[in-house]
Amino acid sequence: AQTVTQSQPEMSVQEAETVTLSCTYDTSENNYYLFWYKQPPSRQMILVIRQEAYKQQNATENRFSVNFQKAAKSFSLKISDSQLGDTAMYFCAHQGGSEKLVFGKGTKLTVNP
Amino acid sequence: DAGITQSPRYKITETGRQVTLMCHQTWSHSYMFWYRQDLGHGLRLIYYSAAADITDKGEVPDGYVVSRSKTENFPLTLESATRSQTSVYFCAVSPAHSPLHFGNGTRLTVT
């Protein structure tokens, strides 16, 4: 069974700074997807970024980028130029052939002014 | 997301009562999922469905029942609610090999 581990329950960063959220996973599958979802206080689940395991190039979406290390089963999220609106829970997730998403327990990120 | 509607948004019920949470999609995506979110646990999968009339258990299925007679609807029923089922419930939808789109969630309190 797949597992996803987020080792940082809480983090904080100053506005305009850069922060990296960690995620490791375990899977026996070769083809899979990895995701970062953001959950602001509104409770809505928002897709931040998606990485396909067979692609070596790290995914990037504006200020959000990942460092995908397939051999190490590591998938960290870097947020550049942090903004107050980035304050949220961030969930790392794995999706294999069954289409199910397996989530980590989340990292609560606070951006301070 | 306008394509997924969860109802109700909030629900308070008593121990032992039956409760049904509704999930409706305006697309015709194959996959539908029910997750529960609890502090310290992230989101855990309760049940999922790959198509109409096809459902399967997730990580925490005990105490829940699902059905999917139509592609667009995937109701979740708590047959006899317990306090441990107090949680936020999310429905999600996706086509194959695609990210999940989540509903806005239902906060359920069992007293």
Side-chain angles (χ1 to χ4, degrees):
Chain A
Q2 292 85 5
T3 59
V4 177
T5 302
Q6 294 179 248
S7 58
Q8 305 150 315
E10 293 191 39
M11 294 189 72
S12 63
V13 64
Q14 292 299 121
E15 197 174 6
E17 301 273 302
T18 295
V19 64
T20 298
L21 279 56
S22 300
C23 173
T24 58
Y25 61 95
D26 191 22
T27 183
S28 57
E29 300 185 52
N30 285 323
N31 296 319
Y32 52 88
Y33 297 90
L34 296 165
F35 302 88
W36 281 96
Y37 278 86
K38 169 185 176 181
Q39 187 182 43
S42 66
R43 202 168 76 196
Q44 187 180 4
M45 292 290 289
I46 301 167
L47 176 65
V48 175
I49 202 164
R50 176 195 193 199
Q51 175 78 42
E52 298 165 70
Y54 61 85
K55 289 189 176 178
Q56 300 222 352
Q57 186 174 5
N58 289 324
T60 300
E61 287 288 341
N62 300 314
R63 298 182 294 107
F64 299 87
S65 61
V66 298
N67 183 3
F68 174 47
Q69 301 289 328
K70 190 172 183 179
K73 296 182 179 175
S74 171
F75 183 60
S76 61
L77 175 70
K78 185 172 81 171
I79 306 174
S80 303
D81 186 24
S82 297
Q83 300 175 0
L84 296 178
D86 295 334
T87 292
M89 284 290 290
Y90 286 83
F91 293 98
C92 178
H94 170 283
Q95 183 184 44
S98 68
E99 305 292 337
K100 298 180 291 185
L101 267 187
V102 175
F103 287 89
K105 294 184 178 181
T107 296
K108 183 178 180 180
L109 177 66
T110 302
V111 180
N112 298 309
Chain B
D1 196 320
I4 307 171
T5 304
Q6 282 190 243
S7 60
R9 186 110 166 108
Y10 300 92
K11 176 74 176 177
I12 300 174
T13 191
E14 295 177 342
T15 300
R17 290 195 179 264
Q18 183 179 80
V19 177
T20 296
L21 309 183
M22 304 301 294
C23 180
H24 173 79
Q25 61 162 320
T26 57
W27 306 299
S28 296
H29 291 334
S30 301
Y31 290 88
M32 297 187 77
F33 305 84
W34 275 107
Y35 286 88
R36 61 177 288 174
Q37 182 178 16
D38 304 290
L39 198 62
H41 289 279
L43 282 80
R44 293 180 291 174
L45 182 65
I46 304 170
Y47 270 96
Y48 66 105
S49 169
D53 297 321
I54 300 174
T55 62
D56 208 347
K57 295 178 180 179
E59 181 185 353
V60 287
D62 293 344
Y64 303 95
V65 174
V66 293
S67 62
R68 196 170 175 200
S69 57
K70 294 183 178 181
T71 299
E72 62 267 27
N73 296 323
F74 191 39
L76 176 73
T77 298
L78 289 67
E79 292 190 303
S80 178
T82 65
R83 289 195 181 90
S84 65
Q85 293 176 309
T86 292
S87 187
V88 177
Y89 291 85
F90 285 96
C91 178
V93 174
S94 76
H97 310 307
S98 297
L100 273 60
H101 300 279
F102 285 84
N104 289 328
T106 294
R107 181 178 292 278
L108 175 68
T109 302
V110 183
T111 61

